[in-house]
Amino acid sequence: LEVKLAVPVIMGSNIGTSVTNTMVAMMQAAERNEFQRAFAGATVHDCFNWLSVLVLLPLEVVSGMITQLSQRLVSVFRLQPGEEAPELLKVITEPVTKLIIQLDKCVITGIAIGNQGMRNLSLVKEWCQADTALSAANKSVENCGLSFDSSSTHVKCRHLFASTELSDLSVGLILLAGSLVVLCTCLLLLVKLLNSILQGQVAKVIHKVINTDLPHPFGWLAGYIAMFVGAGVTFLVQSSSVFTSTMTPLVGIGVISLERAYPLTLGSNIGTTATALLAALASPGNKLAASVQIALCHLFFNVFGILLWYPVPFMRLPIRMAYVLGERTAKYRWFAVLYLLLCFLLLPSLVLGLSLAGCRVMAGVGGPFLGVTIFIAAVNMMQAHSPRYLPTKLQTWDFLPKWMHSLKPLDRLITKATVCCSFSCEAGQNEEQGDEEPISPHTVSVRMQDEFASSQRKEQLTHSNPVLDCLEEIRPGNTTSQQKPDKARGPRAYQAATGSEPAHT
């Protein structure tokens, strides 16, 4: 893989690695305010990566800026192969991983370089040797081109899938399902653990230490110090996902503010590139230059993104975008799942399909889509700041169908589906109870009619109540929107809020 073609892959990996934060934030969906803050803290990383890709990828395609800069740096320094990069977490994880699965790197390398004979071989390693020299069918990467020494002893590999007759596809699906279960379980336990530990005085102390600004005129340095902290911690754990996933629940419970979580996340992006750079320096001599170059491309991508979206306060768009996403998710909790599927599954799949169809199809579909997106963003910005410069019709989006500028129709549809599902479940439970207790058919019919009428009444109150419509426009978390209806505010307000007649004296 050439370095020029690998740069977009590196950019895409930056976007993909932030999906873990969103999954962590969804573990706090039970409490609305925490969910709002946690989702905003998670998506600030997504917004930074998406905005950086939208700006830097076209520049890279047109000018090759990042590739040329990294190539010049590699040519200036006379690099020599160094020692292996320090493996801090792998000392713990690698022995456990080898007990579950071991892969034949020789087959992977052969497939990557186009060796057709390797395509029919299994990726699951079956035979290993005590002296790390592998058999002819399972050689290590260093010994792939060497002939097999029949005098060397070899034994069965000791991992879970060493002696199974399963295909590679079956093994992969089993590992995928198991890893997702373990991942979600660990994320849920992480959120619960942090919520239980960081309470009371501990939360106050951490909040004061992390969010404290330096005295004037050095207040602007606090964000850059947070970047160094994020980079250092990420280098120690060798994973930006681990650091940002741990930070997301802290943002949710209010220990870390979103403004301080943003530079910590940017520093984490820098720290994970340092690990890759050290690993590249340990490459063999014939692969050293390309390995270091792509590691530098990863570093420059994050550095240029920071220069774009952090030094000037006005350009810190990811923070404002994250606030909007957090408020939208607090209002419609299903929006988090829609966001996850759209940004990390549907949109990348669509772009991949268009790119495989050819440059003309990509330009024909992507060009108008990008133009419409820029136009909508510009109009929204002018509507918020200077609507008088817009034509009268464009000052609001009310001339469009409601489903094109509001999520309320989709929310109604999801609410109706939820109500129907809950009604069906209750009807099934009533039928099961009917098998145990003899109830007349007339009684069952009357009960189901009452439950259906009650469900319809709840749904009507949800969408037709003027008080709730007013509350929807109030920002989530506002104390005025969480007050219970009070008879003292008048019989009409009490009737609108509760749907019942007040008692008259």
Side-chain angles (χ1 to χ4, degrees):
L1 187 64
E2 296 180 1
V3 174
K4 185 176 181 181
L5 298 178
V7 173
V9 178
I10 292 294
M11 295 182 180
S13 70
N14 260 33
I15 295 176
T17 192
S18 58
V19 69
T20 315
N21 310 342
T22 309
M23 296 176 65
V24 173
M26 293 178 66
M27 302 299 172
Q28 295 179 269
E31 208 284 321
R32 187 177 296 273
N33 291 331
E34 286 188 11
F35 189 35
Q36 176 184 349
R37 293 190 294 264
F39 197 80
T43 53
V44 72
H45 193 191
D46 308 351
C47 296
F48 169 78
N49 288 327
W50 278 108
L51 289 174
S52 300
V53 169
L54 289 176
V55 174
L56 296 177
L57 181 58
L59 290 176
E60 174 64 20
V61 172
V62 173
S63 63
M65 173 183 62
I66 297 178
T67 305
Q68 293 180 6
L69 180 59
S70 60
Q71 187 176 5
R72 290 182 180 178
L73 282 180
V74 170
S75 61
V76 168
F77 298 103
R78 296 181 178 180
L79 300 176
Q80 299 292 334
E83 298 180 356
E84 292 289 336
E87 297 180 351
L88 302 178
L89 291 182
K90 283 189 177 181
V91 176
I92 303 174
T93 59
E94 191 169 4
V96 180
T97 306
K98 286 185 176 181
L99 292 177
I100 300 175
I101 186 68
Q102 294 184 34
L103 299 180
D104 190 349
K105 296 182 181 180
C106 235
V107 177
I108 298 175
T109 305
I111 294 175
I113 62 177
N115 189 345
Q116 298 297 327
M118 292 289 186
R119 293 186 177 274
N120 297 325
L121 299 180
S122 175
L123 295 177
V124 180
K125 186 183 296 185
E126 185 176 358
W127 294 98
C128 300
Q129 296 195 4
D131 56 356
T132 68
L134 303 179
S135 63
N138 292 287
K139 308 182 209 48
S140 64
V141 176
E142 292 80 3
N143 298 326
C144 280
L146 300 179
S147 60
F148 171 61
D149 183 9
S150 59
S151 61
S152 59
T153 58
H154 54 281
V155 295
K156 276 275 189 179
C157 295
R158 296 181 179 180
H159 60 88
L160 189 60
F161 298 95
S163 302
T164 59
E165 300 297 332
L166 298 175
S167 63
D168 286 1
L169 178 61
S170 302
V171 173
L173 292 177
I174 293 173
L175 291 173
L176 175 62
S179 61
L180 289 177
V181 171
V182 173
L183 174 64
C184 294
T185 304
C186 291
L187 296 181
L188 181 60
L189 293 176
L190 175 66
V191 172
K192 296 296 183 183
L193 182 64
L194 291 177
N195 284 340
S196 62
I197 293 178
L198 299 177
Q199 292 180 356
Q201 295 297 328
V202 178
K204 292 180 180 179
V205 171
I206 296 178
H207 181 272
K208 184 177 181 180
V209 171
I210 295 181
N211 298 303
T212 300
D213 292 326
L214 297 177
H216 184 77
F218 303 103
W220 57 275
L221 281 175
Y224 295 96
I225 295 176
M227 283 189 195
F228 281 104
V229 172
V233 175
T234 303
F235 178 77
L236 291 177
V237 300
Q238 295 192 348
S239 174
S240 60
S241 295
V242 172
F243 176 74
T244 53
S245 299
T246 307
M247 188 171 58
T248 299
L250 300 181
V251 178
I253 62 180
V255 174
I256 301 178
S257 64
L258 182 60
E259 287 75 12
R260 187 52 47 86
Y262 182 52
L264 287 170
T265 302
L266 300 186
S268 177
N269 280 357
I270 298 296
T272 193
T273 61
T275 307
L277 187 58
L278 289 177
L281 290 173
S283 302
N286 58 339
K287 302 176 183 178
L288 179 63
S291 300
V292 174
Q293 186 178 354
I294 192 61
L296 288 174
C297 289
H298 192 192
L299 175 63
F300 290 150
F301 169 74
N302 287 290
V303 170
F304 290 152
I306 292 174
L307 294 178
L308 280 173
W309 310 116
Y310 187 78
V312 182
F314 175 76
M315 293 298 293
R316 295 173 185 175
L317 299 180
I319 296 180
R320 285 178 285 191
M321 293 172 64
Y323 269 124
V324 173
L325 289 173
E327 293 176 358
R328 188 65 58 187
T329 306
K331 187 175 181 180
Y332 308 109
R333 299 196 188 188
W334 51 263
F335 181 79
V337 180
L338 178 65
Y339 171 84
L340 191 67
L341 295 176
L342 182 64
C343 291
F344 296 101
L345 182 62
L346 298 180
L347 185 59
S349 301
L350 177 62
V351 174
L352 178 61
L354 292 176
S355 62
L356 294 177
C359 296
R360 294 183 179 180
V361 177
M362 183 75 175
V365 178
F369 177 79
L370 184 61
V372 171
T373 304
I374 295 175
F375 173 76
I376 293 175
V379 172
N380 282 333
M381 189 175 296
M382 294 188 68
Q383 285 177 353
H385 297 89
S386 54
R388 62 182 182 276
Y389 294 109
L390 289 172
T392 305
K393 197 171 185 178
L394 288 179
Q395 291 181 0
T396 62
W397 297 110
D398 294 339
F399 66 94
L400 295 174
K402 195 169 185 178
W403 60 269
M404 296 184 67
H405 63 90
S406 175
L407 293 176
K408 188 172 291 185
L410 183 58
D411 182 61
R412 291 176 183 270
L413 182 63
I414 295 176
T415 303
K416 288 181 180 179
T418 305
V419 170
C420 292
C421 180
S422 61
F423 173 72
S424 301
C425 294
E426 291 176 0
Q429 292 177 357
N430 291 335
E431 290 179 359
E432 293 178 358
Q433 294 176 358
D435 296 338
E436 300 176 358
E437 300 178 2
I439 301 177
S440 63
H442 176 70
T443 305
V444 174
S445 176
V446 171
R447 181 181 297 176
M448 294 184 66
Q449 289 178 1
D450 292 342
E451 290 175 352
F452 183 73
S454 177
S455 300
Q456 283 188 334
R457 185 168 177 270
K458 289 179 181 179
E459 180 183 346
Q460 183 178 4
L461 285 174
T462 302
H463 300 294
S464 303
N465 197 325
V467 175
L468 295 181
D469 288 340
C470 178
L471 292 178
E472 285 184 348
E473 303 301 327
I474 300 176
R475 181 176 178 180
N478 193 348
T479 55
T480 59
S481 66
Q482 299 174 353
Q483 295 176 354
K484 295 182 178 179
D486 189 3
K487 294 183 181 181
R489 292 186 292 171
R492 293 184 179 273
Y494 180 81
Q495 181 180 0
T498 62
S500 61
E501 293 284 346
H504 297 280
T505 59

